[in-house]
Amino acid sequence: MKIRDILSILDAELLTQDADLDREVHTACGSDMMSDVLAFVKDQSVLLTGLNNPQVVRTADMMDMVCIVFVRGKKPDDAILALARQREMAVLCTGHTMFTACGLLYSHGLRGGVH
């Protein structure tokens, strides 16, 4: 699946206009606890979260993620977006809850990685 597919499936808004929407993603993770992402997540490409702080970008970067989706209509501030741009991550936001967003992606074939 490509990031542009995620954008469409989640009826999301692209917040990093210069992002490469043709990057392939193979797995996803939904979590508001970055400690769980660090401890348990392996080989994830997309992070879905409602947590809105710079630690989300830092955690995603450490885990080699290429896309962050903020759920529940949350929009990160300019500092968070600048950090994501520096790390060449796509940042999206969707009005869906995390449960619904994960379910939509799953129903379109995106799976979680094995940990």
Side-chain angles (χ1 to χ4, degrees):
M1 179 179 291
K2 296 182 183 213
I3 294 173
R4 75 175 58 258
D5 299 321
I6 294 170
L7 189 63
S8 175
I9 291 165
L10 297 181
D11 192 28
E13 178 183 351
L14 178 64
L15 301 178
T16 50
Q17 299 303 319
D18 52 345
D20 180 3
L21 299 182
D22 289 319
R23 285 181 89 169
E24 287 284 336
V25 296
H26 304 285
T27 56
C29 168
S31 182
D32 285 343
M33 295 185 63
M34 296 302 104
S35 59
D36 282 353
V37 174
L38 288 171
F40 301 111
V41 171
K42 303 291 183 245
D43 302 320
Q44 304 294 317
S45 299
V46 179
L47 174 62
L48 292 95
T49 188
L51 186 63
N52 191 350
N53 66 42
Q55 191 61 31
V56 171
V57 177
R58 291 187 187 100
T59 301
D61 185 45
M62 287 174 50
M63 303 308 290
D64 295 323
M65 294 177 165
V66 298
C67 182
I68 300 169
V69 178
F70 289 93
V71 296
R72 300 188 303 271
K74 296 196 175 184
K75 290 189 179 181
D77 64 25
D78 290 337
I80 295 170
L81 292 174
L83 193 58
R85 282 188 200 96
Q86 288 173 355
R87 287 158 173 80
E88 298 181 353
M89 286 181 206
V91 178
L92 317 176
C93 72
T94 181
H96 293 295
T97 64
M98 188 176 322
F99 180 82
T100 299
C102 289
L104 285 166
L105 294 176
Y106 188 88
S107 70
H108 283 85
L110 194 59
R111 300 294 185 252
V114 178
H115 57 283

